[in-house]
Amino acid sequence: MSAININQNNFRKEVLNSDKPVLLDFWASWCGPCRMVSPIVDEIAAERADIKVGKVNVDEQSELAAQFRVMSIPTLVVMKDGKVVNQAVGARPKNQILALLSD
């Protein structure tokens, strides 16, 4: 499965009501570290059918970024049953991103 673009309109359906854990990638096109993390996040989305992966463009979705108190990007947030269970700020290698999902 590929990553889903998350916005204000589909947030409830795709994230809050998801029956799978959700990995959210808060990013922006001008952010260098975000461009490093993005292909890793896409790879995880393709490999892991047991999770849902969403991307939130902070420039277009400032309300969602504010809701999650995103101050720096990239910010990765793991949600289960509509609640934040893990969070990391900054570029991370794939193994560390996967570790966020297993906590």
Side-chain angles (χ1 to χ4, degrees), residues 4-16 24-27 54-71 73 75 77 79 84 87:
I4 302 163
N5 283 321
I6 300 296
N7 57 47
Q8 214 44 48
N9 297 330
N10 69 2
F11 179 76
R12 176 173 299 283
K13 176 181 173 274
E14 297 292 354
V15 179
L16 293 181
L24 291 175
D25 175 17
F26 288 85
W27 68 284
K55 293 187 172 194
V56 181
N57 183 323
V58 296
D59 289 335
E60 296 171 1
Q61 301 299 322
S62 55
E63 312 84 21
L64 285 176
Q67 185 177 329
F68 284 88
R69 294 182 176 86
V70 173
M71 299 296 170
I73 50 174
T75 292
V77 175
M79 296 189 66
V84 175
Q87 193 164 334

Side-chain angles (χ1 to χ4, degrees), residues 60-103:
E60 296 171 1
Q61 301 299 322
S62 55
E63 312 84 21
L64 285 176
Q67 185 177 329
F68 284 88
R69 294 182 176 86
V70 173
M71 299 296 170
S72 299
I73 50 174
T75 292
L76 298 168
V77 175
V78 178
M79 296 189 66
K80 290 181 184 167
D81 302 319
K83 295 179 180 55
V84 175
V85 294
N86 222 332
Q87 193 164 334
V89 177
R92 300 263 192 265
K94 185 176 179 180
N95 63 333
Q96 286 184 17
I97 295 172
L98 289 171
L100 292 172
L101 293 162
S102 62
D103 287 354

Side-chain angles (χ1 to χ4, degrees), residues 1-55:
M1 199 166 132
S2 58
I4 302 163
N5 283 321
I6 300 296
N7 57 47
Q8 214 44 48
N9 297 330
N10 69 2
F11 179 76
R12 176 173 299 283
K13 176 181 173 274
E14 297 292 354
V15 179
L16 293 181
N17 295 338
S18 176
D19 55 348
K20 301 176 182 178
V22 181
L23 172 65
L24 291 175
D25 175 17
F26 288 85
W27 68 284
S29 58
W30 47 264
C31 164
C34 298
R35 288 196 296 269
M36 290 168 35
V37 168
S38 186
I40 299 169
V41 170
D42 289 338
E43 208 173 283
I44 292 169
E47 293 171 358
R48 298 279 303 265
D50 61 320
I51 62 166
K52 188 180 281 191
V53 177
K55 293 187 172 194

